[in-house]
C-alpha cells in the first residue's frame, strides 16, 4: 500500500525534559537543621515543579507533532510538495517509484512493483458502475490515485490479449495455455478486486464490450423477488433494472451498432411492486432490426421484462463476433451460497433460496460463468 512518511526529526528544536534528581546538598549535615530543612524542601518543590512543567511542554509538543502527522490537510500538502521533488521518486533497487508508462496497455514486466497514476476523472468515466471498495480505500489512505502494478495483472491482461490477437505470442510463450474463463482466488483484501477493475479499464481502453459487475453481492440481496411459473426460477426485477442501467453507462455506443440475433420471445414476469401485466401477456418479441441497445432500453423501461432481458442479453453477448467481449464479475463467491430471500413452505416455516435459483444468476452460470 502506498503511504507517505514525514521525513526529518519529528520534534526538531524541542529539548527533552531532564529527569528530576536530588541535590548533593540535601545530604549535608549542618547546625541549622530546621532552616536547611525548609530550604531543602523549597528547592525540592521548585525542582519538581520545573520538571513537571518541562514534561508537560514536551508531551504537548509530541501531541502537536502527532496531530501534524495525521492531519489530512497537512499530509495532503506534503504529498503535493513531494510531487515536485524528483529525488523522492525512488523505489526498490533504485528504480522510480512511479512508472512513466502512459497507459495500462503499454505496461511491461519492468513496471512491476511500481505505481501507476490514474486521473480520477478518466477513472470514473471508464468505470461508471463504481470503483471497488479496495481501490477506494487505497486512494483514501495513500491520498493518491495510484495503484501498484502487480505481475498478476500483467499476466491476466496478456492472457486475454492473446485470445483476440494470437500473433502476440512470443517464442518464450511456448507452452502457455490461454484461458477464456478465469477465477481470481486469494485471501481477503489481497487485491483481487483492484486487479479485476484494472483489467476492465484496460479492455475498455482497447475498445472491448465489457459487462462489469463490481458488486455481485447486490444480485442476491434486497428488492422484490417473485417465482416465475414459466421458468420455475425467481425473478429479481429491481436488480435486473440496475444491472441494465449500469451496462448501458459505458457501452451505449457499442450496443447501438450490434443487432439482436435471437428472435425468440422474451418471457415476462411480475414487475417490481406492480404484479403481472394485464390481459395475461406473458412474453414479448423485439421488433425486427432491433439493436442490443434497444433490447437493454426495453428492459429498463418495462419492469416486467427486466429479468428476461438480462437473461437474453447474456445469450446475445455470446454471439457477438464484431468486437471482443469481456464479462467481469466481482464478489463472485456470493453466487455460490444462499441469497437473502426465503420461500414460504408452511404458515410457520420458510426455506432459504439459493443464489442459483435466481433467474439472472442461473442464466449466467449456465452460459459459461
Amino acid at each position: 500500500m502506498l503511504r507517505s512518511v514525514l521525513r526529518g526529526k519529528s520534534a526538531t528544536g524541542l529539548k527533552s525534559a531532564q529527569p528530576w534528581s536530588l541535590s548533593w546538598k540535601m545530604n549535608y549535615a549542618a547546625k541549622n537543621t530546621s532552616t536547611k530543612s525548609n530550604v531543602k524542601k523549597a528547592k525540592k518543590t521548585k525542582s519538581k515543579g520545573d520538571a513537571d512543567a518541562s514534561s508537560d511542554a514536551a508531551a504537548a509538543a509530541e501531541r502537536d507533532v502527532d496531530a501534524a502527522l495525521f492531519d489530512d490537510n497537512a499530509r495532503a500538502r506534503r504529498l503535493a510538495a513531494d510531487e515536485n521533488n524528483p529525488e523522492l521518486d525512488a523505489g526498490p533497487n533504485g528504480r522510480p517509484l512511479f512508472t512513466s508508462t502512459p497507459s495500462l496497455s503499454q505496461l511491461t514486466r519492468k513496471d512491476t512493483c511500481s505505481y501507476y497514476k490514474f486521473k480520477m476523472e478518466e477513472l470514473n468515466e471508464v468505470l461508471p458502475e463504481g470503483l471497488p471498495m479496495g481501490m477506494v480505500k487505497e486512494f483514501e489512505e495513500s491520498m493518491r490515485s495510484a495503484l501498484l502494478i502487480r505481475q498478476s495483472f500483467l499476466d491476466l491482461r496478456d492472457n486475454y490479449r492473446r485470445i483476440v490477437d494470437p500473433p502476440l505470442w512470443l517464442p518464450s510463450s511456448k507452452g502457455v495455455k490461454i484461458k477464456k474463463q478465469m477465477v481470481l482466488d486469494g485471501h481477503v483484501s489481497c487485491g483481487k478486486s483492484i486487479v479485476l477493475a484494472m483489467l476492465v479499464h484496460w479492455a475498455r481502453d482497447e475498445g472491448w464490450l465489457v459487462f462489469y459487475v463490481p458488486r455481485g453481492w447486490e444480485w442476491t440481496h434486497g428488492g422484490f423477488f417473485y417465482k416465475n411459473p414459466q421458468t420455475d426460477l425467481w425473478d429479481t426485477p429491481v436488480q435486473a433494472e440496475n444491472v441494465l442501467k449500469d451496462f448501458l453507462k459505458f457501452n451505449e455506443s457499442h450496443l447501438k451498432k450490434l443487432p439482436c440475433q435471437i428472435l425468440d420471445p422474451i418471457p415476462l414476469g411480475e414487475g417490481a411492486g406492480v404484479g403481472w401485466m394485464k390481459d395475461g401477456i406473458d412474453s414479448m418479441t423485439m421488433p425486427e432490426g432491433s439493436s442490443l441497445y434497444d433490447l437493454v432500453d426495453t428492459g429498463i423501461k418495462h419492469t416486467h421484462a427486466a429479468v428476461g432481458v438480462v437473461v437474453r442479453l447474456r445469450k446475445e453477448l455470446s454471439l457477438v463476433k464484431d468486437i471482443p467481449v469481456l464479462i467481469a464479475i466481482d464478489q463472485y463467491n456470493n453466487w455460490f451460497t444462499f441469497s437473502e430471500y426465503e420461500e414460504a413452505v408452511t404458515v410457520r416455516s420458510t426455506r432459504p433460496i439459493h443464489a442459483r435459483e435466481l433467474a439472472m444468476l442461473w442464466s449466467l452460470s449456465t452460459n459459461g460463468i
Side-chain angles (χ1 to χ4, degrees):
M1 184 180 296
L2 178 60
R3 298 181 183 275
S4 66
V5 294
L6 182 63
R7 288 164 297 282
K9 297 182 180 178
S10 60
T12 303
L14 297 176
K15 295 182 179 179
S16 60
Q18 296 295 329
W20 178 81
S21 60
L22 292 172
S23 170
W24 65 272
K25 292 182 180 178
M26 301 281 290
N27 298 323
Y28 183 74
K31 292 181 179 179
N32 194 352
T33 307
S34 61
T35 302
K36 290 191 174 182
S37 176
N38 292 335
V39 172
K40 287 189 292 181
K41 185 175 181 180
K43 287 183 178 180
K44 179 178 180 181
T45 303
K46 184 177 180 181
S47 299
K48 183 177 181 181
D50 291 343
D52 290 342
S54 179
S55 178
D56 292 342
E62 289 179 3
R63 287 195 296 270
D64 291 341
V65 172
D66 290 341
L69 282 170
F70 294 101
D71 180 74
D72 288 345
N73 293 330
R75 185 164 171 242
R77 288 193 296 271
R78 289 195 302 274
L79 288 173
D82 290 350
E83 294 286 343
N84 300 321
N85 188 350
E87 294 182 358
L88 298 180
D89 187 16
N93 301 322
R95 297 188 305 171
L97 183 61
F98 296 93
T99 179
S100 59
T101 305
S103 69
L104 294 176
S105 180
Q106 297 178 35
L107 291 173
T108 66
R109 294 180 181 273
K110 294 180 179 179
D111 296 304
T112 306
C113 295
S114 59
Y115 284 86
Y116 181 88
K117 293 181 180 179
F118 292 91
K119 294 180 179 179
M120 286 306 301
E121 297 80 7
E122 295 180 2
L123 193 62
N124 290 324
E125 182 180 349
V126 176
L127 301 175
E129 298 91 342
L131 306 182
M133 287 307 300
M135 184 180 290
V136 174
K137 185 177 180 181
E138 179 79 8
F139 290 166
E140 289 178 349
E141 293 187 354
S142 65
M143 289 190 175
R144 280 187 172 125
S145 54
L147 295 173
L148 184 69
I149 303 301
R150 303 167 186 255
Q151 184 61 49
S152 56
F153 162 69
L154 299 180
D155 292 340
L156 193 64
R157 179 203 64 183
D158 292 343
N159 175 80
Y160 286 103
R161 175 183 278 168
R162 294 187 185 106
I163 293 176
V164 299
D165 198 354
L168 283 174
W169 278 89
L170 300 174
S172 59
S173 302
K174 270 190 172 180
V176 177
K177 294 183 179 179
I178 294 179
K179 298 180 180 179
K180 293 186 176 181
Q181 299 177 16
M182 300 185 70
V183 177
L184 304 184
D185 193 13
H187 58 78
V188 177
S189 299
C190 70
K192 300 183 295 296
S193 297
I194 292 178
V195 168
L196 187 64
M198 291 175 67
L199 179 69
V200 171
H201 190 314
W202 165 78
R204 285 178 169 168
D205 287 346
E206 295 292 304
W208 290 32
L209 176 62
V210 182
F211 185 95
Y212 177 43
V213 180
R215 295 170 298 278
W217 178 87
E218 293 180 355
W219 285 43
T220 60
H221 291 73
F224 298 94
F225 61 105
Y226 308 107
K227 187 69 170 286
N228 192 323
Q230 296 186 73
T231 62
D232 204 31
L233 296 170
W234 294 85
D235 290 348
T236 49
V238 173
Q239 281 83 348
E241 181 181 346
N242 292 335
V243 167
L244 294 173
K245 287 180 177 178
D246 281 346
F247 184 57
L248 199 61
K249 288 177 181 177
F250 189 86
N251 301 299
E252 181 175 340
S253 59
H254 286 316
L255 297 175
K256 288 182 176 180
K257 300 174 184 177
L258 298 172
C260 292
Q261 301 184 56
I262 303 176
L263 304 178
D264 298 338
I266 299 174
L268 303 179
E270 289 192 53
V274 297
W276 292 92
M277 289 191 68
K278 297 179 181 180
D279 302 326
I281 300 175
D282 59 1
S283 66
M284 63 171 290
T285 56
M286 294 300 299
E288 187 175 349
S290 296
S291 65
L292 291 187
Y293 171 82
D294 298 324
L295 176 66
V296 173
D297 188 55
T298 298
I300 294 174
K301 292 180 177 178
H302 303 284
T303 182
H304 301 89
V307 173
V309 167
V310 172
V311 174
R312 175 59 53 83
L313 178 63
R314 173 62 187 96
K315 295 178 181 178
E316 289 279 6
L317 292 179
S318 66
L319 301 176
V320 173
K321 305 298 181 184
D322 296 338
I323 60 174
V325 177
L326 174 67
I327 298 178
I329 311 296
D330 199 359
Q331 300 180 353
Y332 184 48
N333 55 306
N334 287 281
W335 295 8
F336 292 89
T337 184
F338 290 97
S339 69
E340 183 185 46
Y341 314 121
E342 294 182 345
E343 178 184 17
V345 178
T346 67
V347 177
R348 298 179 180 176
S349 65
T350 60
R351 74 168 187 87
I353 298 174
H354 198 277
R356 290 300 180 93
E357 297 180 68
L358 305 181
M360 291 199 305
L361 274 61
W362 179 86
S363 68
L364 288 171
S365 62
T366 55
N367 285 277
I369 292 186

